[in-house]
Amino acid sequence: MHTFPPLVAGNWKMNGTLASLAEVDALMEKLSGVDPACDVMICPPFTLIHPMARTLGDSRIALGGQDCHWEVSGAHTGDIAAEMIADLGGAAVIVGHSERRTDHGETDEIVRKKAAAAHRAGLVAIICIGETIDERKAGRTLEVLSTQIAGSLPEGCDAANTIIAYEPVWAIGTGLTPTTDEVAEAHAHIRKELAAKVGGEDEASRVRILYGGSVKPNNAKELMGVENVNGALVGGASLKADDFFGIISAYL
Ligand code: PEP
């Protein structure tokens, strides 16, 4: 049965202009002489997907979107369909990032529809889940993760079309990270809960579960070494080639 390599994915959020493609050139240069044991992806703002695809050419770096609408087309001003991301050569789309859940009031139901749209368009859905600091302090982390998995994953998820990103909300962009024991506990729980969603434990064992939240070059190796961690979703540190390469280097 096919096993999927770990994935290090960069989420550029609302950062980057055409000038930022220089960082992609620099990253390609750094990757040219090495062969890390992971897939690499960048999810730039929509405005950069097409120019970045041209910069990347046939490089090993894949492209993804940061969000999509659940419809194929229509009267949804400012939104982007999953099919549009696929049209530009995107391979995946992030859905349910906590910033979208907070800034745009996205519920598990909306996230589920978006993930289903990603699958419809042939994209891998990178589905983000994670607890707030209040939920963690109240001892509710695992319960929150269970609820989000039950609500955010559509029918038809499998290890080929779905990646889970565990992103404690309080760790995103803060420089704070959970302990390795806390990461291990969350990832083991997610793996267990996935079985019911992907048709059993065997399939669940192959689903990639990324850790996200203040991953930096100096903590990547430790975090990526935790059991059931199959890569990273990286925000701030993905913007600079040096930092992103430093994180990818956890797999060298
Ligand atoms: C993210 O936004 O997905 C993220 C993990 O951000 P950061 O790495 O900056 O904490």
Side-chain angles (χ1 to χ4, degrees), residues 18 64 83 100 109-110 162 192 246:
L18 290 174
E83 282 76 3
R100 293 213 56 94
E109 189 192 351
I110 291 173
T162 301
K192 183 166 70 61

PDB file of all heavy atoms in Angstrom, residues 18 64 83 100 109-110 162 192 246:
ATOM      1  N   LEU A  18       4.813  40.281  -6.392  1.00  0.00           N
ATOM      2  CA  LEU A  18       5.658  39.654  -7.415  1.00  0.00           C
ATOM      3  C   LEU A  18       7.131  39.630  -6.998  1.00  0.00           C
ATOM      4  O   LEU A  18       7.853  38.677  -7.304  1.00  0.00           O
ATOM      5  CB  LEU A  18       5.492  40.387  -8.753  1.00  0.00           C
ATOM      6  CG  LEU A  18       4.129  40.187  -9.445  1.00  0.00           C
ATOM      7  CD1 LEU A  18       4.023  41.074 -10.681  1.00  0.00           C
ATOM      8  CD2 LEU A  18       3.924  38.719  -9.820  1.00  0.00           C
ATOM      9  N   GLY A  64      -0.364  25.379  -3.614  1.00  0.00           N
ATOM     10  CA  GLY A  64      -1.707  25.214  -3.065  1.00  0.00           C
ATOM     11  C   GLY A  64      -2.368  26.559  -2.833  1.00  0.00           C
ATOM     12  O   GLY A  64      -1.703  27.600  -2.819  1.00  0.00           O
ATOM     13  N   GLU A  83     -11.927  24.743  -8.292  1.00  0.00           N
ATOM     14  CA  GLU A  83     -11.590  24.451  -9.694  1.00  0.00           C
ATOM     15  C   GLU A  83     -10.635  25.499 -10.272  1.00  0.00           C
ATOM     16  O   GLU A  83      -9.827  25.202 -11.160  1.00  0.00           O
ATOM     17  CB  GLU A  83     -12.870  24.398 -10.548  1.00  0.00           C
ATOM     18  CG  GLU A  83     -13.655  23.100 -10.417  1.00  0.00           C
ATOM     19  CD  GLU A  83     -14.457  22.964  -9.120  1.00  0.00           C
ATOM     20  OE1 GLU A  83     -14.460  23.909  -8.303  1.00  0.00           O
ATOM     21  OE2 GLU A  83     -15.077  21.902  -8.924  1.00  0.00           O
ATOM     22  N   ARG A 100      -9.426  31.922   9.279  1.00  0.00           N
ATOM     23  CA  ARG A 100     -10.688  32.009   8.531  1.00  0.00           C
ATOM     24  C   ARG A 100     -11.867  31.675   9.437  1.00  0.00           C
ATOM     25  O   ARG A 100     -12.927  32.274   9.331  1.00  0.00           O
ATOM     26  CB  ARG A 100     -10.654  31.093   7.298  1.00  0.00           C
ATOM     27  CG  ARG A 100      -9.626  31.578   6.274  1.00  0.00           C
ATOM     28  CD  ARG A 100     -10.054  31.280   4.874  1.00  0.00           C
ATOM     29  NE  ARG A 100     -11.343  31.828   4.546  1.00  0.00           N
ATOM     30  CZ  ARG A 100     -11.541  33.026   3.961  1.00  0.00           C
ATOM     31  NH1 ARG A 100     -10.521  33.805   3.662  1.00  0.00           N
ATOM     32  NH2 ARG A 100     -12.763  33.432   3.688  1.00  0.00           N
ATOM     33  N   GLU A 109     -19.281  23.168   9.480  1.00  0.00           N
ATOM     34  CA  GLU A 109     -20.102  22.814   8.316  1.00  0.00           C
ATOM     35  C   GLU A 109     -19.584  23.491   7.040  1.00  0.00           C
ATOM     36  O   GLU A 109     -19.504  22.869   5.969  1.00  0.00           O
ATOM     37  CB  GLU A 109     -21.558  23.222   8.571  1.00  0.00           C
ATOM     38  CG  GLU A 109     -22.482  22.691   7.498  1.00  0.00           C
ATOM     39  CD  GLU A 109     -23.872  23.307   7.557  1.00  0.00           C
ATOM     40  OE1 GLU A 109     -24.186  24.018   8.537  1.00  0.00           O
ATOM     41  OE2 GLU A 109     -24.628  23.097   6.600  1.00  0.00           O
ATOM     42  N   ILE A 110     -19.199  24.749   7.173  1.00  0.00           N
ATOM     43  CA  ILE A 110     -18.636  25.454   6.008  1.00  0.00           C
ATOM     44  C   ILE A 110     -17.322  24.796   5.591  1.00  0.00           C
ATOM     45  O   ILE A 110     -17.064  24.577   4.399  1.00  0.00           O
ATOM     46  CB  ILE A 110     -18.438  26.953   6.338  1.00  0.00           C
ATOM     47  CG1 ILE A 110     -19.802  27.631   6.489  1.00  0.00           C
ATOM     48  CG2 ILE A 110     -17.597  27.650   5.277  1.00  0.00           C
ATOM     49  CD1 ILE A 110     -19.734  29.069   6.975  1.00  0.00           C
ATOM     50  N   THR A 162      -6.817  13.871   1.487  1.00  0.00           N
ATOM     51  CA  THR A 162      -7.014  14.663   2.706  1.00  0.00           C
ATOM     52  C   THR A 162      -5.757  14.666   3.572  1.00  0.00           C
ATOM     53  O   THR A 162      -5.121  13.622   3.775  1.00  0.00           O
ATOM     54  CB  THR A 162      -8.195  14.084   3.529  1.00  0.00           C
ATOM     55  OG1 THR A 162      -9.380  14.117   2.708  1.00  0.00           O
ATOM     56  CG2 THR A 162      -8.435  14.879   4.798  1.00  0.00           C
ATOM     57  N   LYS A 192      -6.614   8.367  15.799  1.00  0.00           N
ATOM     58  CA  LYS A 192      -7.655   7.433  16.261  1.00  0.00           C
ATOM     59  C   LYS A 192      -9.032   7.867  15.731  1.00  0.00           C
ATOM     60  O   LYS A 192      -9.789   7.050  15.210  1.00  0.00           O
ATOM     61  CB  LYS A 192      -7.643   7.416  17.799  1.00  0.00           C
ATOM     62  CG  LYS A 192      -8.620   6.448  18.432  1.00  0.00           C
ATOM     63  CD  LYS A 192      -8.315   6.242  19.908  1.00  0.00           C
ATOM     64  CE  LYS A 192      -8.600   7.440  20.795  1.00  0.00           C
ATOM     65  NZ  LYS A 192      -9.981   7.917  20.846  1.00  0.00           N
ATOM     66  N   GLY A 246      15.451  25.871   6.265  1.00  0.00           N
ATOM     67  CA  GLY A 246      15.904  25.359   7.576  1.00  0.00           C
ATOM     68  C   GLY A 246      14.904  24.360   8.144  1.00  0.00           C
ATOM     69  O   GLY A 246      15.288  23.378   8.788  1.00  0.00           O
TER      70      GLY A 246
END
